[in-house]
Amino acid sequence: MTEDEKAEQFVREARNQVPREFVVDFLEAAEDAAKMAKQVVWGGADEPARRINLSGRRANRATGLVRFQYLDEVFEATALRHRGELVSRIELELDGKERIDPVFLTTVRFGNALVGFASHREQDDLPVANQSRKALARLNAGLTRDLFRPGDQDFTESERFVVLMLQRDRYDVGRIARVSVAMVSADLQKYLFKEEVTEFLSGYGADLQPKPAVRLKKPDAGFRDAKKRGSQSDTGTDS
């Protein structure tokens, strides 16, 4: 099986595990969270007095901090509404030994898929390799070939880590430019697959009742479209 064929298999299996409605609802909530975070720091047209007196650079950074917490909140609430199960620790097998690692980032289980979210500035940027994501990514060991493993495991034989990647709009801190669904390699060095969320959703089949598409801001240049249980290393703007 070629790498492209395996990537297609991983995408199909991710769809089998992750509810379509959860992805759609989270996208809508994420757009609202980004707008609200900007308004909290910058204020709105109707509430200029709410603006925090910060320089533009500091205000943007503060918006990122608030946005991350909003996103974390709506991700958890949306997952629970769609019967996802919160994950606080995972079992791993390393060098033939079993161990249990804590997970500080909000992560939910749908079937055999453990789902989280991350932000990145550029389309090809990988998730930040903090303590929790390093542990979660190890669930994907054996899915790629190397000198020691044949890489022939099926997605459904054990739990796997799927991540929703949110690309921040470089021109507007209150918007999300692009959303992708992805799986990363066990060493967090490459994507096993990464698919635009609209393409991922369309793959569920025409038999499903379509929902209104999430409208993401089109850039002026370039290509972009459409509890806090953490340790210190797992909080912040995810940058």
Side-chain angles (χ1 to χ4, degrees):
M1 185 180 293
T2 67
E3 291 300 315
D4 287 343
E5 290 172 335
K6 288 190 74 66
E8 291 177 3
Q9 175 193 357
F10 300 154
V11 174
R12 289 194 302 270
E13 295 296 346
R15 289 194 192 100
N16 288 338
Q17 305 297 316
V18 182
R20 182 184 188 276
E21 293 78 10
F22 159 70
V23 179
V24 172
D25 288 352
F26 173 64
L27 292 178
E28 295 173 349
E31 281 285 288
D32 290 341
K35 293 176 184 177
M36 290 173 64
K38 180 180 179 181
Q39 185 171 353
V40 165
V41 177
W42 289 89
D46 299 331
E47 300 173 285
R50 292 187 60 188
R51 175 170 174 165
I52 299 173
N53 189 20
L54 295 172
S55 66
R57 178 176 61 85
R58 292 186 176 90
N60 284 341
R61 181 167 177 78
T63 302
L65 291 165
V66 174
R67 180 181 58 212
F68 176 82
Q69 296 302 328
Y70 267 135
L71 287 170
D72 196 56
E73 186 79 21
V74 300
F75 178 80
E76 178 177 320
T78 305
L80 292 176
R81 191 165 64 249
H82 289 281
R83 300 185 179 181
E85 177 188 352
L86 286 175
V87 175
S88 60
R89 61 181 186 172
I90 55 175
E91 296 181 3
L92 297 170
E93 183 176 340
L94 297 175
D95 300 325
K97 298 180 180 179
E98 293 184 357
R99 78 184 216 188
I100 297 177
D101 277 23
V103 175
F104 299 110
L105 291 175
T106 301
T107 305
V108 293
R109 179 185 287 107
F110 290 107
N112 289 317
L114 272 64
V115 185
F117 77 92
S119 298
H120 57 179
R121 287 191 175 89
E122 303 297 335
Q123 181 183 0
D124 295 329
D125 289 347
L126 288 153
V128 172
N130 54 36
Q131 178 182 348
S132 292
R133 289 208 190 97
K134 287 179 181 178
L136 288 162
R138 292 191 187 106
L139 293 171
N140 295 339
L143 295 179
T144 54
R145 296 180 181 274
D146 58 31
L147 293 175
F148 307 102
R149 287 186 292 269
D152 290 331
Q153 297 181 31
D154 288 334
F155 181 91
T156 53
E157 283 190 356
S158 60
E159 293 178 334
R160 301 300 182 192
F161 177 47
V162 178
V163 60
L164 302 176
M165 297 299 303
L166 282 63
Q167 184 179 358
R168 293 164 285 185
D169 192 297
R170 68 178 66 184
Y171 305 111
D172 188 342
V173 294
R175 290 185 177 271
I176 296 171
R178 182 196 301 260
V179 180
S180 305
V181 183
M183 283 177 59
V184 292
S185 60
D187 58 5
L188 272 173
Q189 294 300 305
K190 67 176 182 178
Y191 286 108
L192 302 180
F193 84 82
K194 183 161 70 68
E195 192 167 86
E196 293 293 321
V197 71
T198 50
E199 184 178 352
F200 182 81
L201 291 172
S202 67
Y204 280 86
D207 56 319
L208 294 176
Q209 181 67 30
K211 293 193 175 184
V214 176
R215 297 183 180 275
L216 301 179
K217 179 185 176 184
K218 295 289 184 180
D220 297 330
F223 177 68
R224 288 189 307 246
D225 55 27
K227 106 177 258 198
K228 320 318 162 256
R229 299 182 304 275
S231 66
Q232 184 175 359
S233 62
D234 285 347
T235 59
T237 60
D238 205 22
S239 59

